[in-house]
Amino acid sequence: IFDAKRLPYVEVDGMNPEHRESREELFSISGVRGNYPQFFFVHSNGSTSYFGNWDKLLMINETTGIPKEVIDAHPEIETWDKVFGNVVASF
């Protein structure tokens, strides 16, 4: 999905012993251990925040086809552009 949307990302293999420190830091941020994949934002100030899991990513990807008038009437619906629009624009 990220490649198709041209969204830059870094993959951290949580099973790789060399990534243990990064894995533990990310688990601490998400509050979720051993549930893969997990997705995070690394902000321009260097801070990291938890975005969600695979189900959330799929849900947001599936909103792509919802008509604009429906999205406008339901601002609580998360869309790809709302969540990732600024991320892609910053690269």
Side-chain angles (χ1 to χ4, degrees):
I1 293 175
F2 291 142
D3 290 337
K5 300 283 191 177
R6 297 184 179 191
L7 186 71
Y9 64 94
V10 174
E11 185 176 331
V12 175
D13 181 351
M15 298 301 291
N16 184 334
E18 294 176 10
H19 296 162
R20 182 175 184 193
E21 187 175 322
S22 296
R23 179 191 70 207
E24 294 301 319
E25 179 183 346
L26 294 172
F27 282 166
S28 174
I29 293 168
S30 72
V32 179
R33 297 188 65 78
N35 185 347
Y36 302 102
Q38 295 182 28
F39 302 97
F40 299 84
F41 289 116
V42 177
H43 304 280
S44 59
N45 66 4
S47 67
T48 302
S49 62
Y50 179 59
F51 161 72
N53 61 15
W54 180 251
D55 291 337
K56 183 170 182 178
L57 183 67
L58 285 180
M59 179 188 69
I60 288 172
N61 191 52
E62 290 174 2
T63 64
T64 301
I66 296 176
K68 183 180 179 340
E69 58 272 6
V70 174
I71 297 296
D72 291 344
H74 297 278
E76 73 279 4
I77 296 175
E78 292 184 294
T79 65
W80 189 267
D81 288 338
K82 285 181 187 177
V83 174
F84 296 104
N86 291 334
V87 174
V88 175
S90 70
F91 284 93

